[in-house]
Amino acid sequence: MMKALQGIKVLDFTHVQSGPTCTQLLAWFGADVIKVERPGVGDATRQQLVDVDGADSLYFTMLNHNKRSIELNSKNETGKQILTRLIETCDVLVENFAPGALDRMGFTWERIQEINPRLIMASIKGFGPGKYQDCKVYENVAQCAGGSASTTGFRDGPPLVTGAQIGDSGTGLHLCLGIVTALFHREKSGRGQKVTAAMQDSVLNLARVKLRDQQRLAAGPLKEYSQFGEGIPFGDATPRAGNDSGGGQPGRILRCKGWEQDPNAYTYFIIQAAVWEKVCDIIGEPDWKTKEGYAKPPQRLDKLNEIFERIEKWTMTKTKFEVMDACNPLDIPVGPILSMKEIAEDEGLYATGTLVKVDHPERGEYISVGCPIKLSDSPADVQRSPLLGEHTTEILTDVLGYSAEELAQIIESGAVGAAK
Ligand code: CAO
């Protein structure tokens, strides 16, 4: 079956997490992704958080499936010539170097357009144009600068970063959408364009409901926040809301049976207005269905602590899965707090390809997250990540057409390290 992006060549100049997330998606959609890595060194993550001596780390392997790797010194003169040939040949260049690094190599946007006007150049930077544009940025900096950290955590605790990598992987997703949109645009315009995604902007986009709440503060207290029912005044910025729902349907994380021993014996419980009567019945408070102050959603907002404490008395008599089994048939939205161990053991996720087992020559079998976006006519087939420089010779000869003699000269120049 032909893949959605079959025939699209991607010059992958990305490293660490944000950029590789994007190019991995392009590879899963069928693009030929050629990862350019510094000879003998490669993407720094190959050697970060190593769990198997001598093998590429899971950090690297889980972000670089379905790609080919070429070792290429882009600061060496021959290396620059090869890079120029790759720019001529490819449809997309993706990079997430520190600001200015590509320019310092001699590949400005103007130069790239001269080489290949159809090329789409996609970049991730920490910040957009402005006072911080030259900063190097990692995940948590973006979570903080994008408004996520100040609105995450409990009111009486410090700001918190989240485990979901919204700064890195979140920006990679945004960039990927920009690239496929630019490819679609190129069909009509015949030209490439520059696509940029700043990590601060991507986090802010994902945290936009908190900017919504910032503006609602002008109209009075945010009544769906627990702090309203607790009588605690609001300040001038969106506060941290603990586990309160971010939407119009109040929700909380509640303890379930076994919580004393199991740190994940919890459920998320939402008191959706449409099923309030069923909630009242299931927890044994049928009077609340008609009682003044409880019957209508706005009346309940100053009693959320009392209501959720009562619901928790019920959830604590059941495991998180029993809560799910009891509530689902009644359309009461609940969700168990799943540990990574439970997720890794979930057969259903393997059946859909969301989890995959991948074999690797250096480290053996490991579990990875497959493509989370399913295309019915272009299913993702997860292949292991490349070893450093595994495809150097193949790319120089098959993709760029260098002869055996030229290949020997290239190796001699030191541009590609020891070609494999
Ligand atoms: N051949 C020769 N040189 C190469 C090369 C190659 N194949 N690949 C990279 N280099 C060089 C770069 O040109 C750069 O050299 P100069 O500093 O002389 O210009 C150098 O390697 C280091 O690149 P870098 O500055 O991007 O890398 P770093 O480890 O110092 O910084 C990071 C890493 C992520 C902070 C920075 O790249 C960055 O801010 N990127 C943009 C934001 C981003 O994506 N952050 C998320 C990363 S994941 O948490």
Side-chain angles (χ1 to χ4, degrees):
M1 194 184 282
M2 191 169 151
K3 293 283 169 63
L5 293 184
Q6 203 156 313
I8 297 295
K9 282 197 174 49
V10 177
L11 170 49
D12 181 8
F13 235 147
T14 68
H15 65 155
V16 202
Q17 183 184 163
S18 63
T21 310
C22 167
T23 52
Q24 178 167 260
L25 282 167
L26 295 172
W28 281 335
F29 294 150
D32 179 7
V33 176
I34 298 170
K35 185 169 173 104
V36 176
E37 298 184 80
R38 211 172 341 172
V41 183
D43 188 323
T45 58
R46 286 187 186 268
Q47 297 307 319
Q48 284 177 358
L49 313 177
V50 168
D51 60 323
V52 177
D53 280 344
D56 285 331
S57 70
L58 286 168
Y59 195 9
F60 177 83
T61 57
M62 290 178 72
L63 288 163
N64 290 284
H65 293 107
N66 297 60
K67 304 181 185 177
R68 298 200 272 177
S69 165
I70 174 173
E71 284 178 290
L72 182 68
N73 183 348
S74 57
K75 290 184 173 168
N76 164 300
E77 273 318 306
T78 307
K80 282 187 205 284
Q81 287 165 21
I82 296 169
L83 197 53
T84 305
R85 292 279 296 274
L86 279 168
I87 292 171
E88 276 166 4
T89 310
C90 288
D91 300 277
V92 183
L93 184 162
V94 192
E95 64 92 21
N96 68 311
F97 288 128
L102 208 57
D103 294 354
R104 287 192 288 279
M105 281 179 205
F107 292 96
T108 60
W109 171 227
E110 291 70 29
R111 174 75 190 116
I112 287 169
Q113 280 175 297
E114 274 168 24
I115 302 168
N116 181 357
R118 281 178 58 81
L119 188 104
I120 289 153
M121 182 176 127
S123 301
I124 289 176
K125 298 290 166 254
F127 293 94
K131 57 186 170 176
Y132 300 128
Q133 65 186 22
D134 293 327
C135 296
K136 289 192 175 187
V137 168
Y138 284 103
E139 169 68 47
N140 289 344
V141 174
Q143 288 201 25
C144 295
S148 175
S150 72
T151 52
T152 303
F154 287 91
R155 193 179 36 75
D156 50 1
L160 278 187
V161 294
T162 156
Q165 305 281 281
I166 57 176
D168 277 340
S169 290
T171 310
L173 275 166
H174 282 83
L175 192 75
C176 190
L177 178 60
I179 292 169
V180 291
T181 306
L183 280 168
F184 186 64
H185 195 182
R186 193 180 73 169
E187 290 296 304
K188 292 173 269 182
S189 71
R191 289 190 301 118
Q193 60 187 299
K194 199 171 169 182
V195 179
T196 49
M199 294 168 71
Q200 180 187 37
D201 300 2
S202 299
V203 171
L204 176 58
N205 183 36
L206 296 173
R208 68 170 53 221
V209 297
K210 299 297 176 179
L211 183 61
R212 173 202 67 194
D213 292 350
Q214 177 64 40
Q215 296 169 88
R216 288 173 59 228
L217 276 173
L222 305 172
K223 292 185 178 166
E224 76 283 12
Y225 281 53
S226 314
Q227 128 173 32
F228 170 68
E230 290 161 4
I232 295 164
F234 285 77
D236 61 0
T238 308
R240 293 189 267 289
N243 290 315
D244 289 341
S245 146
Q249 312 286 349
R252 285 283 173 87
I253 287 187
L254 304 178
R255 288 174 286 184
C256 293
K257 196 197 260 179
W259 66 274
E260 299 91 335
Q261 291 81 36
D262 177 356
N264 295 303
Y266 290 82
T267 187
Y268 200 90
F269 199 107
I270 296 172
I271 48 171
Q272 193 189 6
V275 290
W276 172 245
E277 299 198 347
K278 291 176 185 171
V279 172
C280 296
D281 284 337
I282 203 167
I283 64 170
E285 295 289 348
D287 294 352
W288 282 2
K289 291 191 275 190
T290 49
K291 189 173 172 183
E292 180 61 24
Y294 293 79
K296 300 262 179 294
Q299 301 171 339
R300 296 196 282 270
L301 291 176
D302 62 354
K303 302 177 191 69
L304 293 180
N305 281 359
E306 180 201 347
I307 291 170
F308 280 115
E309 274 164 26
R310 177 65 190 90
I311 298 172
E312 192 174 54
K313 273 197 187 130
W314 177 77
T315 59
M316 283 166 70
T317 66
K318 305 203 162 344
T319 69
K320 60 190 177 188
F321 298 111
E322 286 166 352
V323 170
M324 188 95 174
D325 291 344
C327 291
N328 267 354
L330 302 174
D331 287 336
I332 301 171
V334 293
I337 308 305
L338 294 180
S339 69
M340 278 297 163
K341 181 172 185 296
E342 288 167 322
I343 287 174
E345 292 167 355
D346 186 336
E347 290 305 323
L349 293 175
Y350 291 94
T352 60
T354 294
L355 286 180
V356 286
K357 290 188 176 153
V358 185
D359 207 14
H360 189 276
E362 288 174 341
R363 53 176 310 120
E365 191 179 80
Y366 64 93
I367 299 168
S368 193
V369 184
C371 186
I373 304 161
K374 322 288 187 199
L375 272 67
S376 62
D377 279 2
S378 183
D381 163 30
V382 179
Q383 303 290 330
R384 72 164 171 84
S385 58
L387 303 177
L388 178 60
E390 184 175 348
H391 306 97
T392 300
T393 305
E394 183 180 301
I395 291 163
L396 290 173
T397 53
D398 299 356
V399 178
L400 298 179
Y402 287 110
S403 65
E405 199 182 322
E406 287 169 320
L407 184 62
Q409 286 167 3
I410 289 169
I411 294 169
E412 181 66 29
S413 75
V416 296
K420 297 171 183 93

